[in-house]
Amino acid sequence: MEKKLTLADLARILEQYDVVELEDVTIKGEVELELGSSAGLALPPALAQALQSLMGAREMPGTLEAKRIEALLPATFKVAKAEWTGKIEEVTIGATSADGGTRERTVTIGGEKSLPFYNFDAKMPHPPVISVDCFDMPIPLARAVREYYEDVMEDPGEWAKKNVREFGADMVTIHLISTDPTIKDTPARAAAKTVEEVLQAVKVPIVIGGSGNPDKDPEVLEAAAEAAEGERCLIASANLNMDYERIAKAALKHGHVILSWTQLDINAQKTLNRYLFKLGVPREDIVIDPTTAALGYGLDYAFTNIERMRISALKGDTDLAFPISCGITNAWGAREAWMKDSPSKEDSDWGPAAYRGQMYEIITGLTLGLAGGDMFMMMHPNAASTVKKVTQTLFGAKVKEDKAKRVAIEDWVTWDAEVGALKK
Amino acid sequence: MEIWKYLPGTNCGECGEKTCLAFASHLKERSTRLEECTPLFEDEKYADKGKQLAELLAPEIREIEIGVGARAAKIGGEDVMYRHELTFYNRTALAYDVWDTMEEGELRERVSRIANWRKFYVGEFLTLDAIAVRSVSGDAQTFAACVNAVAEETDLPLVLCSFDAKVLEEGLKVVAGKNPLLYAADKTNWKDVLELVKSYNVPVTLFSPDLDMLNSLALTFSSAGVEDIVLDPGVYPTGEGLADTFSRFVRIRRVGIEEGDKEVAYPLMSVPMTAWMIHGDALDASYWEAVLAAIGIIKYADIMILHSIEPHSLIAERTLVENVYTDPRRPVSVEPGLREVGTPTEHSPLFLTTNFALTYYTVESDLSSNKIDSYLIVVDSEGMGVEAAVAGEQLTAERIKETLESYGAEKRVKHKTLVIPGLAARLSGETEDVTGWTVLVGPRDSGRIPGWMDDNWPPEK
C-alpha cells in the first residue's frame, strides 16, 4: 500500500492531536511515512487511527485503540459465481393436440444449472409448479382443508375442476386411493374411468397417483396409463418394493412421464433410476420423488436429502439429475397442523388449528423448494397460492402487486403497529 | 492432519481421548472443544501452538454473543454452506419486537408472553431467544423507560432498535451491563454509533442493502477495533426486492465461508417483520412474515426480528429453526426394544411404534405426559416413521411378530393384546393372523391416546 501523505497533512494532524514529538517514526525523503511496529510505539491511538485512515490502511495493529474515524473506509463487495458442471433434465408434462394429447397447456420443469433461485449463478429456467390434489373418494381431511372441498368430494371430475378454476392449480393430481384392497378395492378398470373423467373435466396436465399399495398399484397404474394414452401424464409412482417394471413399461408404451419414488435414501434413488434407464425409459420422462416429511416430523431429513441429491446432480451425477416432486400435503400429518390443542399440558397455547394447518403446509413447501423441489403436490388453496407466490418471486417472475420499490424498509423500526401502517 | 501438528502429541488422555490424533479428528468435526486439551493451555511450552491452533480452528463466520447469563444467545460461528457438510452450528436467534409507544401493562404482558413461551419437541422445550425494543416515539427518554420495563420483566437478550444514536444511548445506559445488540449503524449515523459501541463495548448491527456500503461499514468498524458485528443487508418483503434480498444473503455468506474473506464474515440479521409494511390484514402479514423468516432460517440468517407472536407463527418458525439446525449426524433411529412408561403391570396396554427417533419420542412423551402406565414396543423400521414404513414395508406383520418374540412381550402382559398405530391400520388383520395376538387399532396420532383409552381400554373380554 503506497498511499502518499503530504507533510502539510501530517502537520495538520499532529496539530489537531497536540502531538509535539513522534517516536519510532522515520520520515524518508519528502513525504513517505513508515510507522514503526515495535511494541513501544508511542503514537497516540487516535493519531495512529487518523494516519491509517488517511493512508487507506485496511488493518489496524490490534494494540491501537481508535477514537474517531472521519470517513468510511472504501470497499467493494465482490463474490465469485458458483460453476457447476451438471444440468438437471428438463421434463415436460402434458401434451397438447399438436403432440397427440388434449391438454390446453403443458408444464415444463427442471433444466437448472444452479441451486434453486440462485439466478446470480445461472438463471433458473422454469419456476416450480403446483399440482393440487384430488381423490377418487371422500377422504378424512383436517377441517381447515375440508371446508374447501366438501361440495366436490363425491365427484373427482368436479373436484379437479375446482382445483383449476378456483384455486389456480397448474396441474391436478388424481389419487386413486379407493383401489387399495384394504379400502374399497376398486377395480383397475373403474379407476381408469375416473382418470378419463378427470382428463375431460380439466385441460391442465395431470398426475395419476395410485393408492400406495405395492401389490395393486402396478395393475391400477397400467390401466390408467392406457386410458390416458398420449396425454403425457405423470404416473405416480414406481418404487423398489413393487413391480416397477410393469408400471415403467406402461408409461413408456402410452407416452407418459414416470415418477421414481424412494424413501429418504440417495443410493436407493440412484438404483431405481438406473433400473428405469435399463428398461429404456428416456431421461426426459423421469421425475423423482425422494420423499417429503412435514415440518417438525423429519423435514430436516427430507430437506438435506433433496439438497444433497441436487448438489450431486449439479456436480455431474447424472443418476440424480432429474426434476424433483414433493408431496407437500404430507404436512397435514403433523399434529400441529390439525389438532385442536396441544397434547402436552405444559405447552403454551397452540391457538386456532385453522391458522396452523396452512402454515405447516406453506413452510414445508417453501423449505423443500429451497432444497431443490420443482413440483409441489398441495392441498390447502391459501397454502398453494402462498407457496406459488413466493417461489415465483424468488424465481424472478414479475408479480403484479409488487410494492417493494415503495417500501422504505429501514422504517420498520418506527412502524406503528397500532395503526397497522407506516408512520409518516 | 494439520490440527494434530499443533497438539502436544503426548497422548496423555486428559481430553478423554486415547490419542492426540483422535482428539484432532474430533476438533475437526467440532464435536469437542480445544479447551479439553489442558496441557495446551497450562504448559508454557505449548502456549504458542495453542494460540495458533485456536486461530486455525476459529469458525469462518465470527461467533458473537448477545445478552448475559443463562439466556445469552450465541450467533454466527458457522463453517459450512450446507448442513450436511458438517452441521449448522448456532441456531438462528429469534427476536420478537416490542415498541416504546406501547402502554406499559400491554408491554409487560407481551414481554412475558415472549419470554415464557414454550413448546415440547423431541424430548425438550423449545423457547424463544430475544426481544427487540423499537423506538417508535423517537424520544430518547420514552425509549429508555421502555427498555427499563422490558429489562425488569425478562433476562432475555435485547436488541435496541433506532437509527438515532442519542436514543440508542439512553437505552444503553439502562442495560449497559447486559450486552444488548445495537440496531443499527448505517451510512448516515455510523460515526455516532461507532462512538457508542466503543464506549459501551456492545455488539452492533450494521445496515445497508448496498453491499459495497455494507462492506465499507464493516471494514470501518473492524478497523476501529470493533469485532462483535452483525450485518443486516435489508429484507425487502416482495417482488424483485425479495429476490435480491435472497441473493444478498447467499452471496455474503459465500464470500465469508467459501472465499475466506474476513471483511464480511459476520453473523447476518434478517428482518422478516418488513412483511407487515405491505399487508393490511394481520393474518396475511403473519403468513408472509413466516415465509420471509423461513427463507432466512434456511439461507443464512443468524438472528432475525419478527412481529407476530401468534401461536401459529411461533410454533412454525421455532420448529423450522430446530429442524434446520439439528445436527444431521444425529442418528435417525433409536434402539428397538420393549420400553416401560411409568410403572406398568401385566394389565397395562402394550403400544407399538417404530424406531424413527422423532416418532418414538413423540409417542413416549404422549404416554408419559398423560401418565399412562404402559409398555411401548419399538420395531426396527430402519428409522422410518409409521406411515412411510408401512408403505415401504419396513413395518410388516412379520416384523411385528419377530419383535414381539425377541423382546419377550408375551411374558410382560397377560392380555395378549397389541395396540398398533392408526397409520398402520392396514396391517391389523395380517398381524393377528401371523402373531396370534389380538390387535387393536389405535388413533392416527398418539396425542389422541388418552381419549382412545377411555373408549377402548381395558378391552372387552
Side-chain angles (χ1 to χ4, degrees), chain A residues 7-165:
Chain A
L7 279 173
D9 287 334
L10 184 59
R12 207 169 48 239
I13 296 159
L14 294 177
E15 197 178 0
Q16 192 182 335
Y17 290 95
D18 294 322
V19 174
V20 184
E21 194 181 354
L22 293 175
E23 288 174 24
D24 260 356
V25 172
T26 324
I27 295 185
K28 281 189 199 164
E30 289 176 17
V31 289
E32 276 182 63
L33 192 71
E34 237 177 52
L35 294 183
S37 58
S38 72
L41 180 60
L43 278 180
L47 171 60
Q49 177 67 57
L51 287 175
Q52 292 279 359
S53 171
L54 272 171
M55 292 162 71
R58 290 219 147 189
E59 274 182 40
M60 285 293 298
T63 50
L64 298 181
E65 279 287 316
K67 198 173 175 214
R68 187 101 191 162
I69 303 181
E70 291 305 322
L72 283 172
L73 302 179
T76 309
F77 179 82
K78 280 197 287 284
V79 60
K81 278 189 180 187
E83 304 270 355
W84 303 97
T85 52
K87 179 182 177 239
I88 308 306
E89 208 64 51
E90 211 161 51
V91 175
T92 296
I93 303 165
T96 61
S97 56
D99 295 309
T102 63
R103 304 300 88 199
E104 276 171 7
R105 54 187 151 98
T106 62
V107 158
T108 301
I109 52 176
E112 294 94 339
K113 290 182 192 163
S114 65
L115 289 172
F117 314 114
Y118 281 38
N119 290 324
F120 42 90
D121 286 336
K123 178 84 185 105
M124 193 177 187
H126 307 288
V129 298
I130 313 266
S131 186
V132 179
D133 292 325
C134 66
F135 295 80
D136 67 346
M137 61 179 273
I139 55 154
L141 289 172
R143 184 182 308 182
V145 185
R146 193 174 62 226
E147 62 175 298
Y148 293 95
Y149 299 108
E150 218 139 31
D151 56 330
V152 291
M153 285 227 242
E154 300 283 347
D155 187 334
E158 287 304 309
W159 192 336
K161 247 185 223 170
K162 191 168 190 183
N163 290 353
V164 176
R165 273 198 203 145

Side-chain angles (χ1 to χ4, degrees), chain B residues 37-87:
Chain B
C37 179
T38 41
L40 208 52
F41 295 93
E42 284 165 8
D43 194 330
E44 272 297 314
K45 68 180 173 204
Y46 300 128
D48 276 355
K49 283 192 164 179
K51 233 174 108 185
Q52 285 162 1
L53 187 52
E55 271 170 37
L56 182 71
L57 291 174
E60 298 291 348
I61 303 302
R62 188 175 171 78
E63 181 176 77
I64 77 168
E65 192 165 74
I66 61 171
V68 290
R71 296 198 80 170
K74 277 193 182 140
I75 58 172
E78 301 302 338
D79 266 326
V80 294
M81 295 296 285
Y82 312 106
R83 60 191 289 277
H84 63 265
E85 294 176 329
L86 182 68
T87 179

Side-chain angles (χ1 to χ4, degrees), chain B residues 421-433:
Chain B
L423 290 171
R426 71 156 71 145
L427 301 179
S428 67
E430 203 187 339
T431 304
E432 287 203 332
D433 296 345

Side-chain angles (χ1 to χ4, degrees), chain A residues 58 60 67 73 77 80 118 121 180 241 263 296-297 301 304 335-336 345 347-348 355 404 415, chain B residues 83 118-121 134 195 212 216 223 254 259 263 287 299 323 330 358 366 370 388 426 445:
Chain A
R58 290 219 147 189
M60 285 293 298
K67 198 173 175 214
L73 302 179
F77 179 82
Y118 281 38
D121 286 336
D180 189 317
N241 71 358
Q263 289 176 286
Y297 294 84
Y301 304 114
T304 282
R335 60 169 58 163
E336 289 83 352
K345 292 174 182 69
D347 274 5
S348 299
Y355 296 168
W415 177 75
Chain B
R83 60 191 289 277
R118 64 181 196 164
K119 180 182 185 297
F120 187 79
Y121 183 67
R134 298 187 292 123
E195 290 289 301
D212 289 341
S216 177
S223 298
R254 180 184 286 173
E259 300 181 15
E263 287 182 10
Y287 287 128
K299 293 293 179 180
N323 284 177
R330 186 195 62 162
L358 193 76
D366 288 336
N370 287 291
R426 71 156 71 145
D445 188 299

